[in-house]
Amino acid sequence: MSGATVTLLYFARLRESLGLAREEMLLPAGVQTLQVLRAHLAARGGAWAEEMAPARKLRAAVNQTLAQGDAPLKAGDEVAFFPPVTGG
Amino acid sequence: MSVRIQEADFDTAAEIAAMRRGNPKIGAIASFIGVVRDINDGDAVSMMTLEHYPGMTERSIGAIIDQARGRWEVLDALVIHRVGTLKPTDQIVLVVVACSHRGDAFAACEFIMDYLKTQAPFWKKEVTPQGARWVDARASDDEAAGRWRN
C-alpha cells in the first residue's frame, strides 16, 4: 500500500546505534511487509545496513504485537524494531 | 489480574496480602522474585538500566497471563516489573499467582516467567569494569519457553 504513513520505533541497542528512537515514514511503493521494510531501512547504509542486516537477530512488532517478516503493513501502523528481549 | 511497570521497589508480602484479602477460594499462592546479580558472563556488574516499550510491555504481559489462565485454573495473577536504574541485590520482577491448588499455581507462575523472559519487551544494559554493554538474549531462555509448547 503506497501513500501510507507509519510510525517507526527503535529500542535499546538499535536506538543507540541508529541514533534515532522514532520516525514517521511514508511507505514507498512496494514496501508492504515487515521484511521488505527492513530491507528498505538496511539500504540506508552505515549503521542501518549493519543493524538491519538479515543475519542480525532482530525482533519486530506491529501495533505492539510481535510480528513475523510477512506481516502486512498499512497506514497508521506503529512498527517497532528491537533486539531479542532481556527482561526478567 | 494486574500488570505494573514501575521504577519503585515492591513489597511482596503486601502484594500477596492484598491478593488474598476477601478471596476464600484461594488455596495456593506461588511467587517468583527476580533479583539483580553482581556478575554476568564472568564480569562484575555494578549497575544496570532497564529499558522497555511502554504500551507493548503491559499488553504482552497481559497476553501471557491470559494464556496461563487458558491452561490452568488461575484465580488471580500479578506481575510487577521494574525499569530504570538498578544495582546488585535489587529486586527486578515479581510474579504472584493465586489458585485453588498448588500444582496450577507453580506451573502458571513458571510459565508466566518463562514467557516474560522471551516475549516482553525489556532490555538490560549493564555496567561492568569494561564499560556499559547491552545484555545478549540467552538461548536457554528460548528453550525454557519452548518447553511449554505442546
Side-chain angles (χ1 to χ4, degrees):
Chain A
M1 184 190 294
S2 62
T5 300
V6 296
T7 300
L8 304 184
L9 303 176
Y10 309 101
F11 288 95
R13 191 198 67 234
L14 252 71
R15 175 178 46 73
E16 286 189 350
S17 56
L18 302 175
L20 191 65
R22 177 192 180 99
E23 64 178 313
E24 306 292 321
M25 177 189 261
L26 184 63
L27 287 179
V31 178
Q32 297 175 349
T33 64
L34 209 46
Q35 65 200 1
V36 178
L37 173 61
R38 179 172 172 173
H40 177 76
L41 293 170
R44 287 174 169 175
W48 294 88
E50 199 174 311
E51 293 291 353
M52 297 287 170
R56 262 305 168 123
K57 273 195 181 168
L58 208 57
R59 299 284 182 271
V62 177
N63 298 324
Q64 304 190 351
T65 300
L66 285 174
Q68 301 300 314
D70 59 356
L73 302 178
K74 63 179 189 312
D77 280 348
E78 177 177 297
V79 182
F81 289 98
F82 43 81
V85 302
T86 56
Chain B
M1 311 293 156
S2 172
V3 177
R4 304 209 305 264
I5 310 302
Q6 62 190 43
E7 292 196 9
D9 198 8
F10 50 79
D11 179 341
T12 304
E15 298 297 343
I16 291 176
M19 185 179 283
R20 291 179 58 195
R21 199 166 297 136
N23 192 342
K25 291 189 172 18
I26 293 174
I29 294 172
S31 64
F32 172 84
I33 299 165
V35 178
V36 181
R37 284 175 302 136
D38 67 357
I39 193 162
N40 189 30
D41 289 335
D43 293 313
V45 174
S46 59
M47 207 178 75
M48 69 164 60
T49 50
L50 265 147
E51 175 176 335
H52 78 120
Y53 179 176
M56 180 175 171
T57 313
E58 293 83 351
R59 183 191 285 239
S60 65
I61 297 172
I64 292 165
I65 292 175
D66 284 346
Q67 285 183 62
R69 293 175 70 190
R71 296 177 68 137
W72 298 281
E73 278 191 49
V74 175
L75 296 171
D76 204 353
L78 165 70
V79 174
I80 299 176
H81 203 299
R82 296 178 70 192
V83 292
T85 303
L86 298 172
K87 60 185 190 313
T89 74
D90 282 348
Q91 306 187 109
I92 307 180
V93 60
L94 171 67
V95 178
V96 181
V97 178
C99 301
S100 293
H101 303 288
R102 71 180 185 284
D104 283 354
F106 277 131
C109 187
E110 191 171 20
F111 172 91
I112 289 170
M113 200 52 221
D114 282 347
Y115 269 62
L116 184 152
K117 288 287 264 187
T118 54
Q119 296 190 1
F122 294 98
W123 302 274
K124 289 180 184 135
K125 189 177 192 180
E126 58 192 14
V127 177
T128 73
Q130 286 77 43
R133 65 184 185 195
W134 290 99
V135 175
D136 281 330
R138 293 177 191 279
S140 59
D141 287 334
D142 285 330
E143 288 156 15
R147 289 179 303 150
W148 300 98
R149 281 183 213 111
N150 52 34

